[in-house]
Amino acid sequence: MINKKNLIFLGAPGAGKGTFSALLLEKYPLVHISTGDILRSEIKNGTELGKQAAALMEKGELVPDNIVAGMVRDRLAKDDCDKGFILDGFPRTVNQADLLEQALQDIGRSLDSVVFFDVEDELILKRLTARISCKDCGEIFNRIFHPPKSENECDKCGGGLFQRPDDSLETAKERLRVFYDNTRPLIDYYAGKGLLLAITETQKELVFQELEKELA
Ligand code: AMP
């Protein structure tokens, strides 16, 4: 059982934020808020916001703070977030963290814990460039660490698998640089607030065990 339910998942791209959100969601009724997923669905739907975001995302750059913070604020204001929530991939800058704090105050919510998945760069790049996902259900696979049973088909729903364009080696390296420049300062930011929980384990089962223990 976990008692800490209002969570931020922090970490470089490919550190496991999406994977462990999905595993936690299988067991606990939390709301998963991934700014990357929301932006990708805006792009898919051809919205104005999606058009603005697409060019930045293709290059591995960040979408402006006020845009993502507004999206998250609207989502957190919904009643279903009373059950608890995982913010996956947000905040990514200190300014976003400040905007989040303001939003939480306005809405009357607070954070219980900020989980930092601390994974070495070499493993990150290996994971990112081998990552593939299902275009229908979003299930994540990895050609090296978690291959699908049949090469181009999702184990769960049979949908086709694809590589995210921003998971190419060049863009993955740029996203890692963006993480160090913009997001890493959040580790001290949340440590200073006594909210940080760092996980250095990288093996899937052990990470999940540690996560549950720490969030109990
Ligand atoms: P993700 O799926 O979390 O790796 O995000 C994919 C891309 O979406 C990032 O490389 C950014 O271009 C954009 N993005 C997602 N979340 C944020 C955020 N909190 N702030 C700015 N850009 C974001």
Short mmCIF file of all heavy atoms in Angstrom, two decimals, residues 13-14 17 34-37 39-40 53 56-65 68-69 71-72 88-93 96 128 131 164 166-167 171 175 178, ligand 1:
data_model
loop_
_atom_site.label_atom_id
_atom_site.label_comp_id
_atom_site.label_asym_id
_atom_site.label_seq_id
_atom_site.Cartn_x
_atom_site.Cartn_y
_atom_site.Cartn_z
N PRO A 13 15.05 11.89 -19.78
CA PRO A 13 14.21 11.08 -20.68
C PRO A 13 14.74 9.65 -20.69
O PRO A 13 15.96 9.45 -20.71
CB PRO A 13 14.38 11.76 -22.05
CG PRO A 13 15.58 12.64 -21.93
CD PRO A 13 15.70 13.01 -20.49
N GLY A 14 13.85 8.68 -20.61
CA GLY A 14 14.32 7.29 -20.63
C GLY A 14 14.73 6.77 -19.26
O GLY A 14 15.18 5.63 -19.13
N LYS A 17 10.32 7.08 -16.03
CA LYS A 17 9.15 7.77 -15.48
C LYS A 17 7.85 7.17 -16.02
O LYS A 17 6.93 6.89 -15.26
CB LYS A 17 9.20 9.27 -15.82
CG LYS A 17 10.47 9.97 -15.34
CD LYS A 17 10.44 11.47 -15.62
CE LYS A 17 10.36 11.84 -17.08
NZ LYS A 17 11.57 11.53 -17.87
N SER A 34 1.03 13.09 -18.00
CA SER A 34 2.30 13.17 -18.74
C SER A 34 2.19 14.33 -19.72
O SER A 34 1.38 14.27 -20.66
CB SER A 34 2.56 11.86 -19.47
OG SER A 34 3.41 12.08 -20.58
N THR A 35 3.00 15.35 -19.52
CA THR A 35 2.93 16.51 -20.44
C THR A 35 3.37 16.08 -21.84
O THR A 35 2.82 16.56 -22.83
CB THR A 35 3.79 17.67 -19.92
OG1 THR A 35 5.02 17.16 -19.37
CG2 THR A 35 3.07 18.44 -18.85
N GLY A 36 4.32 15.15 -21.94
CA GLY A 36 4.74 14.66 -23.25
C GLY A 36 3.56 13.99 -23.98
O GLY A 36 3.32 14.25 -25.16
N ASP A 37 2.80 13.14 -23.26
CA ASP A 37 1.64 12.47 -23.87
C ASP A 37 0.59 13.49 -24.30
O ASP A 37 0.00 13.38 -25.37
CB ASP A 37 0.99 11.48 -22.89
CG ASP A 37 1.80 10.20 -22.73
OD1 ASP A 37 2.77 10.02 -23.51
OD2 ASP A 37 1.48 9.40 -21.84
N LEU A 39 1.02 16.61 -25.09
CA LEU A 39 1.51 17.36 -26.26
C LEU A 39 1.44 16.50 -27.52
O LEU A 39 1.04 16.97 -28.59
CB LEU A 39 2.95 17.84 -26.01
CG LEU A 39 3.09 18.95 -24.97
CD1 LEU A 39 4.55 19.13 -24.56
CD2 LEU A 39 2.54 20.27 -25.51
N ARG A 40 1.82 15.21 -27.39
CA ARG A 40 1.75 14.33 -28.57
C ARG A 40 0.31 14.18 -29.06
O ARG A 40 0.06 14.12 -30.26
CB ARG A 40 2.38 12.96 -28.27
CG ARG A 40 3.91 12.96 -28.40
CD ARG A 40 4.52 11.59 -28.18
NE ARG A 40 4.43 11.14 -26.81
CZ ARG A 40 5.30 11.48 -25.85
NH1 ARG A 40 6.33 12.24 -26.13
NH2 ARG A 40 5.15 11.05 -24.61
N ALA A 53 4.04 23.19 -30.68
CA ALA A 53 4.90 22.28 -29.90
C ALA A 53 5.73 21.37 -30.80
O ALA A 53 6.88 21.04 -30.47
CB ALA A 53 4.03 21.44 -28.96
N LEU A 56 9.40 22.21 -31.73
CA LEU A 56 10.31 22.18 -30.58
C LEU A 56 10.59 20.74 -30.17
O LEU A 56 11.74 20.36 -29.90
CB LEU A 56 9.70 22.94 -29.41
CG LEU A 56 9.57 24.44 -29.63
CD1 LEU A 56 8.60 25.07 -28.65
CD2 LEU A 56 10.94 25.10 -29.50
N MET A 57 9.53 19.93 -30.13
CA MET A 57 9.69 18.54 -29.68
C MET A 57 10.57 17.74 -30.63
O MET A 57 11.38 16.93 -30.20
CB MET A 57 8.32 17.88 -29.52
CG MET A 57 7.55 18.45 -28.34
SD MET A 57 5.86 17.89 -28.26
CE MET A 57 6.04 16.19 -27.72
N GLU A 58 10.42 17.99 -31.93
CA GLU A 58 11.26 17.28 -32.91
C GLU A 58 12.73 17.52 -32.66
O GLU A 58 13.56 16.65 -32.87
CB GLU A 58 10.93 17.78 -34.33
CG GLU A 58 9.84 16.99 -35.00
CD GLU A 58 9.28 17.73 -36.21
OE1 GLU A 58 10.04 18.48 -36.85
OE2 GLU A 58 8.07 17.57 -36.46
N LYS A 59 13.06 18.73 -32.19
CA LYS A 59 14.47 19.07 -31.95
C LYS A 59 14.92 18.66 -30.54
O LYS A 59 16.08 18.83 -30.19
CB LYS A 59 14.67 20.58 -32.11
CG LYS A 59 14.58 21.04 -33.56
CD LYS A 59 14.95 22.51 -33.69
CE LYS A 59 13.80 23.40 -33.26
NZ LYS A 59 13.98 24.80 -33.39
N GLY A 60 13.97 18.23 -29.72
CA GLY A 60 14.32 17.86 -28.35
C GLY A 60 14.34 19.05 -27.40
O GLY A 60 14.82 18.96 -26.28
N GLU A 61 13.80 20.20 -27.88
CA GLU A 61 13.78 21.40 -27.03
C GLU A 61 12.51 21.43 -26.18
O GLU A 61 11.55 20.71 -26.46
CB GLU A 61 13.82 22.66 -27.91
CG GLU A 61 14.96 22.73 -28.91
CD GLU A 61 16.34 22.68 -28.26
OE1 GLU A 61 16.46 23.13 -27.11
OE2 GLU A 61 17.27 22.15 -28.89
N LEU A 62 12.51 22.30 -25.19
CA LEU A 62 11.34 22.39 -24.31
C LEU A 62 10.27 23.30 -24.90
O LEU A 62 10.57 24.31 -25.54
CB LEU A 62 11.75 22.93 -22.94
CG LEU A 62 12.68 22.05 -22.11
CD1 LEU A 62 12.96 22.70 -20.76
CD2 LEU A 62 12.10 20.65 -21.91
N VAL A 63 9.03 22.95 -24.64
CA VAL A 63 7.88 23.77 -24.98
C VAL A 63 7.80 24.86 -23.89
O VAL A 63 8.15 24.60 -22.74
CB VAL A 63 6.62 22.85 -24.99
CG1 VAL A 63 5.35 23.65 -25.14
CG2 VAL A 63 6.76 21.80 -26.10
N PRO A 64 7.37 26.10 -24.24
CA PRO A 64 7.38 27.18 -23.24
C PRO A 64 6.66 26.83 -21.93
O PRO A 64 5.62 26.17 -21.93
CB PRO A 64 6.67 28.33 -23.96
CG PRO A 64 6.92 28.08 -25.41
CD PRO A 64 6.95 26.58 -25.56
N ASP A 65 7.24 27.31 -20.84
CA ASP A 65 6.75 27.00 -19.48
C ASP A 65 5.26 27.30 -19.29
O ASP A 65 4.53 26.50 -18.72
CB ASP A 65 7.53 27.85 -18.45
CG ASP A 65 8.97 27.38 -18.31
OD1 ASP A 65 9.27 26.25 -18.75
OD2 ASP A 65 9.78 28.14 -17.76
N VAL A 68 2.89 24.53 -20.91
CA VAL A 68 2.78 23.25 -20.19
C VAL A 68 2.19 23.44 -18.80
O VAL A 68 1.38 22.63 -18.34
CB VAL A 68 4.14 22.49 -20.09
CG1 VAL A 68 4.41 21.69 -21.34
CG2 VAL A 68 5.29 23.38 -19.78
N ALA A 69 2.56 24.54 -18.14
CA ALA A 69 2.04 24.76 -16.79
C ALA A 69 0.52 24.95 -16.83
O ALA A 69 -0.20 24.45 -15.95
CB ALA A 69 2.72 25.99 -16.16
N MET A 71 -1.53 23.61 -19.04
CA MET A 71 -2.13 22.29 -19.28
C MET A 71 -2.24 21.50 -17.98
O MET A 71 -3.25 20.87 -17.69
CB MET A 71 -1.26 21.47 -20.25
CG MET A 71 -1.25 21.96 -21.67
SD MET A 71 -0.05 21.15 -22.79
CE MET A 71 0.82 20.00 -21.82
N VAL A 72 -1.16 21.54 -17.22
CA VAL A 72 -1.12 20.75 -15.98
C VAL A 72 -2.10 21.33 -14.94
O VAL A 72 -2.81 20.59 -14.26
CB VAL A 72 0.32 20.72 -15.41
CG1 VAL A 72 0.35 20.11 -14.02
CG2 VAL A 72 1.23 19.93 -16.34
N ASP A 88 4.29 13.29 -14.64
CA ASP A 88 5.37 12.57 -15.34
C ASP A 88 5.96 13.51 -16.41
O ASP A 88 5.30 13.81 -17.40
CB ASP A 88 4.74 11.30 -15.94
CG ASP A 88 5.61 10.62 -16.99
OD1 ASP A 88 6.68 11.13 -17.32
OD2 ASP A 88 5.17 9.56 -17.49
N GLY A 89 7.17 13.99 -16.15
CA GLY A 89 7.80 14.88 -17.13
C GLY A 89 7.46 16.35 -16.92
O GLY A 89 7.74 17.19 -17.76
N PHE A 90 6.86 16.67 -15.81
CA PHE A 90 6.57 18.05 -15.43
C PHE A 90 6.72 18.15 -13.91
O PHE A 90 6.22 17.27 -13.23
CB PHE A 90 5.14 18.44 -15.83
CG PHE A 90 4.79 19.85 -15.41
CD1 PHE A 90 5.00 20.92 -16.26
CD2 PHE A 90 4.28 20.10 -14.13
CE1 PHE A 90 4.71 22.21 -15.86
CE2 PHE A 90 3.99 21.39 -13.72
CZ PHE A 90 4.20 22.44 -14.60
N PRO A 91 7.36 19.16 -13.36
CA PRO A 91 8.03 20.27 -14.03
C PRO A 91 9.38 19.86 -14.61
O PRO A 91 9.99 18.88 -14.19
CB PRO A 91 8.21 21.29 -12.90
CG PRO A 91 8.29 20.47 -11.66
CD PRO A 91 7.41 19.28 -11.89
N ARG A 92 9.86 20.66 -15.58
CA ARG A 92 11.17 20.42 -16.19
C ARG A 92 12.08 21.63 -16.05
O ARG A 92 13.22 21.58 -16.50
CB ARG A 92 10.98 20.12 -17.67
CG ARG A 92 10.99 18.63 -18.02
CD ARG A 92 10.57 18.52 -19.48
NE ARG A 92 11.10 17.40 -20.18
CZ ARG A 92 10.39 16.30 -20.48
NH1 ARG A 92 9.18 16.15 -20.03
NH2 ARG A 92 10.94 15.35 -21.20
N THR A 93 11.57 22.69 -15.47
CA THR A 93 12.42 23.87 -15.20
C THR A 93 12.02 24.40 -13.81
O THR A 93 10.92 24.11 -13.32
CB THR A 93 12.17 25.02 -16.21
OG1 THR A 93 10.82 25.49 -16.04
CG2 THR A 93 12.35 24.56 -17.65
N GLN A 96 8.86 26.30 -14.04
CA GLN A 96 7.67 25.43 -14.05
C GLN A 96 7.34 24.96 -12.64
O GLN A 96 6.17 24.84 -12.26
CB GLN A 96 7.90 24.20 -14.94
CG GLN A 96 7.88 24.52 -16.43
CD GLN A 96 8.09 23.27 -17.30
OE1 GLN A 96 7.93 22.13 -16.84
NE2 GLN A 96 8.46 23.49 -18.55
N LEU A 128 16.89 4.84 -24.72
CA LEU A 128 16.10 5.73 -25.58
C LEU A 128 16.15 5.29 -27.03
O LEU A 128 15.12 5.23 -27.70
CB LEU A 128 16.62 7.17 -25.50
CG LEU A 128 16.26 7.96 -24.26
CD1 LEU A 128 16.87 9.35 -24.34
CD2 LEU A 128 14.75 8.08 -24.10
N ARG A 131 14.07 2.25 -27.73
CA ARG A 131 12.69 2.28 -27.26
C ARG A 131 11.71 2.30 -28.43
O ARG A 131 11.90 3.02 -29.40
CB ARG A 131 12.50 3.54 -26.40
CG ARG A 131 11.08 3.77 -25.94
CD ARG A 131 11.03 4.72 -24.77
NE ARG A 131 11.22 6.11 -25.14
CZ ARG A 131 11.11 7.12 -24.29
NH1 ARG A 131 10.84 6.88 -23.01
NH2 ARG A 131 11.30 8.35 -24.67
N ARG A 164 9.72 6.72 -31.48
CA ARG A 164 9.43 8.16 -31.42
C ARG A 164 10.54 8.90 -32.19
O ARG A 164 11.71 8.60 -32.00
CB ARG A 164 9.43 8.61 -29.96
CG ARG A 164 8.09 8.43 -29.29
CD ARG A 164 8.14 8.69 -27.83
NE ARG A 164 8.82 9.93 -27.43
CZ ARG A 164 8.90 10.37 -26.19
NH1 ARG A 164 8.33 9.69 -25.21
NH2 ARG A 164 9.53 11.48 -25.90
N ASP A 166 11.85 11.64 -31.68
CA ASP A 166 12.83 12.29 -30.81
C ASP A 166 13.69 11.29 -30.04
O ASP A 166 14.49 11.66 -29.19
CB ASP A 166 12.17 13.32 -29.86
CG ASP A 166 11.09 12.72 -28.98
OD1 ASP A 166 10.68 11.57 -29.22
OD2 ASP A 166 10.65 13.42 -28.05
N ASP A 167 13.56 10.00 -30.34
CA ASP A 167 14.42 8.99 -29.73
C ASP A 167 15.61 8.62 -30.63
O ASP A 167 16.35 7.68 -30.35
CB ASP A 167 13.62 7.72 -29.38
CG ASP A 167 12.87 7.87 -28.05
OD1 ASP A 167 13.18 8.81 -27.29
OD2 ASP A 167 11.98 7.05 -27.78
N THR A 171 18.89 13.37 -31.35
CA THR A 171 17.91 14.10 -30.54
C THR A 171 17.93 13.63 -29.09
O THR A 171 17.74 14.42 -28.17
CB THR A 171 16.50 13.96 -31.16
OG1 THR A 171 16.59 14.24 -32.54
CG2 THR A 171 15.52 14.94 -30.53
N ARG A 175 18.26 15.96 -25.84
CA ARG A 175 17.30 15.95 -24.74
C ARG A 175 18.01 15.75 -23.40
O ARG A 175 17.60 16.29 -22.38
CB ARG A 175 16.25 14.86 -24.97
CG ARG A 175 15.30 15.24 -26.10
CD ARG A 175 14.56 14.05 -26.63
NE ARG A 175 13.61 13.52 -25.69
CZ ARG A 175 13.22 12.24 -25.66
NH1 ARG A 175 13.72 11.38 -26.51
NH2 ARG A 175 12.35 11.84 -24.78
N VAL A 178 19.49 19.05 -22.51
CA VAL A 178 18.41 19.92 -22.02
C VAL A 178 18.06 19.53 -20.57
O VAL A 178 17.82 20.39 -19.72
CB VAL A 178 17.16 19.83 -22.94
CG1 VAL A 178 15.94 20.45 -22.31
CG2 VAL A 178 17.46 20.48 -24.29
P1 AMP B 1 8.52 13.27 -22.81
O1 AMP B 1 7.51 12.39 -23.43
O2 AMP B 1 8.23 13.61 -21.37
O3 AMP B 1 9.93 12.79 -23.01
O4 AMP B 1 8.42 14.68 -23.58
C1 AMP B 1 8.66 14.78 -24.97
C2 AMP B 1 8.90 16.23 -25.35
O5 AMP B 1 7.74 17.01 -25.02
C3 AMP B 1 10.05 16.92 -24.63
O6 AMP B 1 11.30 16.64 -25.24
C4 AMP B 1 9.64 18.39 -24.77
O7 AMP B 1 9.86 18.86 -26.09
C5 AMP B 1 8.12 18.31 -24.57
N1 AMP B 1 7.77 18.41 -23.13
C6 AMP B 1 7.21 17.44 -22.34
N2 AMP B 1 7.05 17.87 -21.09
C7 AMP B 1 7.51 19.15 -21.06
C8 AMP B 1 7.66 20.13 -20.05
N3 AMP B 1 7.29 19.89 -18.78
N4 AMP B 1 8.19 21.33 -20.39
C9 AMP B 1 8.57 21.60 -21.64
N5 AMP B 1 8.50 20.71 -22.65
C10 AMP B 1 7.97 19.50 -22.38
#
